[in-house]
Amino acid sequence: MLFKNKTVWITGASSGIGRELAVQFAQQGANVILSSRSQEKLEAIKAELAPGNHKVVPLDMAQPERLMQDIPAVLDAVGRVDILVNNAGISQRSLFLENEFKVYRQLMEVNYFGLVAMTKAVLPRMIETGGGSVVAISSVAGKVGSKFRTGYSGSKYAVVGFMDCLRAEVTQHGIHCLTICPGSVKTAIGHNSLNGQGEAQNKPEASIENGMDPADAARQMLKAIAARKDEVVIGKGISSWAPTIKRFFPQLFNMMTAKTSYR
Ligand SMILES: NC(=O)c1ccc[n+]([C@@H]2O[C@H](COP(=O)([O-])OP(=O)(O)OC[C@H]3O[C@@H](n4cnc5c(N)ncnc54)[C@H](OP(=O)(O)O)[C@@H]3O)[C@@H](O)[C@H]2O)c1
């Protein structure tokens, strides 16, 4: 068992990728701390996990200051966290010219400031207790831009930059920093994506419905954590190739994204 007796804290564990990560970490012998806003959903998932010393810790990533206040008590209770998976996130499908400004704040609070606050609260204890892994789920949208995602991509690019700088600072303390950039994965993210008024759009999307199976995505994520990778892109089809195409043919890529209406 790859992660036997490790304590793994997963945000956004009530759905999609986070839920699958919880299932697979527990199968690999880990004790999982499951977090998101939905206590009931988390309790139901916890009940289905392979046996372990699992815990539910409800939290709202959109309240980073509160999060930093509350986390020390959780750390005192669990003793140590070996792996922090900053996975909670929301997306967006709306055009810049039609967006209210508050949509940008909503996306940055959850996807960026929430992640920074979690890391700020957990990392010192991780260092004190001998090291561990900080994992951030960014996105292919954190490596390339496309229509309908000015706020989402901005927040996910910010995560990539944050993790690159953090890695440079804390490798010397025995901390492994991994940035995961998934392409489309079949989860509720399309339904939960914000419209220009900051409300969930509540409709399915072909790219997400045809996306990777979340169990396959989680399997690849666990492998990347075990191999102590710095950054991985995970996905199928064009979404997994997009960062490479952009890197080697930036003008062509930018021309293509301006012409297509990829959702
Ligand atoms: N699916 C994809 O195609 C894809 C691609 C690239 C990157 N990603 C990234 O993968 C991560 C997981 O997304 P998913 O696809 O699994 O989507 P999902 O099924 O919609 O799950 C999102 C998770 O984030 C949690 N969350 C949202 N807002 C929160 C808040 N304010 N406080 C605490 N938790 C919050 C949700 O829990 P509650 O609602 O219970 O709070 C839920 O557990 C996200 O960071 C996303 O950007 C997904």
Side-chain angles (χ1 to χ4, degrees):
M1 290 208 213
L2 267 180
F3 298 100
K4 191 160 172 53
N5 294 329
K6 299 285 183 203
T7 300
V8 183
W9 196 337
I10 303 169
T11 66
S14 64
S15 173
I17 293 170
R19 180 190 178 284
E20 277 303 327
L21 288 171
V23 167
Q24 294 187 25
F25 270 117
Q27 282 168 351
Q28 294 293 329
N31 301 313
V32 182
I33 307 173
L34 303 107
S35 287
S36 83
R37 292 164 300 180
S38 323
Q39 183 159 9
E40 265 183 43
K41 284 191 200 167
L42 295 171
E43 295 287 359
I45 292 165
K46 181 186 156 202
E48 289 169 7
L49 298 182
N53 188 13
H54 312 307
K55 278 193 180 6
V56 164
V57 176
L59 51 78
D60 185 351
M61 302 292 281
Q63 297 186 37
E65 281 83 10
R66 167 101 198 259
L67 211 113
M68 285 188 288
Q69 268 172 19
D70 292 350
I71 285 174
V74 181
L75 293 175
D76 289 343
V78 297
R80 63 177 293 141
V81 173
D82 299 287
I83 301 169
L84 168 65
V85 186
N86 281 308
N87 164 73
I90 39 171
S91 193
Q92 168 220 5
R93 299 292 186 269
S94 48
L95 294 169
F96 177 75
L97 292 175
E98 293 160 12
N99 291 334
E100 290 181 26
F101 180 72
K102 68 175 184 187
V103 175
Y104 292 89
R105 282 220 193 276
Q106 273 173 268
L107 290 158
M108 287 302 278
E109 286 297 347
V110 177
N111 295 352
Y112 182 70
F113 290 116
L115 175 149
V116 173
M118 266 313 277
T119 309
K120 185 98 190 114
V122 172
L123 189 58
R125 187 71 64 96
M126 202 183 255
I127 293 171
E128 267 169 42
T129 53
S133 295
V134 175
V135 181
I137 311 296
S138 175
S139 172
V140 162
K143 305 295 281 182
V144 306
S146 60
K147 288 177 186 168
F148 307 105
R149 291 167 174 78
T150 48
Y152 180 63
S153 249
S155 69
K156 293 295 188 179
Y157 267 76
V159 168
V160 172
F162 168 75
M163 288 296 285
D164 282 346
C165 297
L166 186 71
R167 184 180 303 111
E169 292 181 16
V170 301
T171 299
Q172 61 176 326
H173 299 300
I175 301 296
H176 157 232
C177 294
L178 165 63
T179 311
I180 299 179
C181 299
S184 296
V185 182
K186 193 175 174 189
T187 69
I189 198 161
H191 280 273
N192 294 332
S193 289
L194 304 182
N195 61 22
Q197 289 71 51
E199 292 145 4
Q201 64 167 1
N202 274 323
K203 57 181 184 194
E205 274 177 359
S207 68
I208 299 293
E209 295 307 307
N210 298 324
M212 196 176 192
D213 183 295
D216 290 342
R219 217 166 285 124
Q220 291 192 32
M221 291 177 186
L222 261 67
K223 272 192 194 159
I225 296 168
R228 292 177 84 81
K229 300 260 188 200
D230 289 345
E231 184 177 295
V232 288
V233 173
I234 286 174
K236 66 175 197 186
I238 184 71
S239 72
S240 62
W241 286 104
T244 311
I245 300 172
K246 164 109 196 255
R247 183 166 166 220
F248 291 108
F249 307 101
Q251 272 187 315
L252 174 70
F253 186 87
N254 292 339
M255 215 170 65
M256 277 162 51
T257 52
K259 283 199 169 153
T260 52
S261 283
Y262 175 77
R263 278 186 185 255

